[in-house]
Amino acid sequence: MSPRTSSRRSLRPRFQRAVARLLLGLAFLGPLACAMTPDRLPPPDRQFYHTLPSAEDKAKFLKLKETERQPFLEQKGLWAKWMELPPEEREAAKRGEVKAGYKEFTALMAWGAPADTQESKTPERSVRFHTFIRCTSGPRVGRWVASNLACDGTSSEVEVAVENGLITEVKYLN
């Protein structure tokens, strides 16, 4: 055996160990890296993503490391809204549950941005009606979407009436 062959053999285990360490490091740091798509965000970050007001904010949020997300949400005022919710409502939002008496932000965190919002005003009161769409079949079953066309299957709608920041009624339309 030549010295050259011997040195190649001794380098191979070191190289393999270095590659293994690199892969292990990447696996460990992976969750700290940016998400790239909303589906890769952990809850409740995924719900916060859908409450962000602009496409620009959403794009920035996806590029943030996990440790940078809360300060970003604090800057946008969303973290304060989340913390203002009673613990029962935060847990309900995580489960995707909404009922009358909850704050409007609970619905946004549970189901994302509404597909449509209408407002009815009289001199005595103002009521917002949010319509949320949920896919009931197809590849996105169970997801809340901005349009029933995004379901690629069937969908159902829920209308939420909001007055003075509180949900007054939840109607399951179909």
Side-chain angles (χ1 to χ4, degrees):
M1 180 177 350
S2 73
R4 193 179 241 180
T5 306
S6 174
S7 70
R8 274 193 222 147
R9 285 186 185 163
S10 67
L11 287 176
R12 192 171 294 150
R14 279 192 263 165
F15 177 74
Q16 289 172 337
R17 281 194 301 270
V19 168
R21 285 184 187 137
L22 176 65
L23 292 174
L24 183 62
L26 289 174
F28 176 73
L29 293 175
L32 299 177
C34 58
M36 298 304 209
T37 69
D39 293 337
R40 294 188 64 192
L41 289 168
D45 289 348
R46 184 178 312 126
Q47 288 93 329
F48 276 116
Y49 169 85
H50 292 293
T51 64
L52 289 166
S54 71
E56 182 181 323
D57 286 340
K58 290 177 179 183
K60 284 180 186 176
F61 192 71
L62 287 177
K63 292 178 183 175
L64 295 174
K65 294 177 183 171
E66 186 176 351
T67 57
E68 299 170 329
R69 291 183 193 138
Q70 184 177 333
F72 181 83
L73 294 168
E74 288 171 355
Q75 179 189 20
K76 298 295 177 184
L78 295 173
W79 189 259
K81 285 183 177 184
W82 177 247
M83 295 311 294
E84 287 172 6
L85 296 178
E88 172 190 338
E89 288 187 46
R90 285 198 301 264
E91 289 304 314
K94 289 177 188 177
R95 292 188 308 270
E97 297 173 6
V98 174
K99 57 184 172 182
Y102 284 179
K103 292 184 180 183
E104 179 179 25
F105 193 67
T106 304
L108 300 176
M109 286 297 288
W111 299 337
D116 185 50
T117 298
Q118 301 291 323
E119 193 158 1
S120 175
K121 288 186 179 187
T122 67
E124 297 82 34
R125 59 192 277 206
S126 175
V127 180
R128 270 191 310 282
F129 297 93
H130 296 306
T131 302
F132 296 91
I133 299 172
R134 185 172 188 249
C135 299
T136 54
S137 72
R140 301 187 80 193
V141 68
R143 299 259 176 103
W144 296 91
V145 295
S147 165
N148 59 3
L149 298 175
C151 291
D152 205 17
T154 59
S155 62
S156 65
E157 294 183 4
V158 180
E159 184 181 77
V160 175
V162 177
E163 190 171 358
N164 298 320
L166 291 177
I167 297 170
T168 57
E169 186 176 14
V170 179
K171 285 187 198 176
Y172 293 87
L173 303 177
N174 41 353

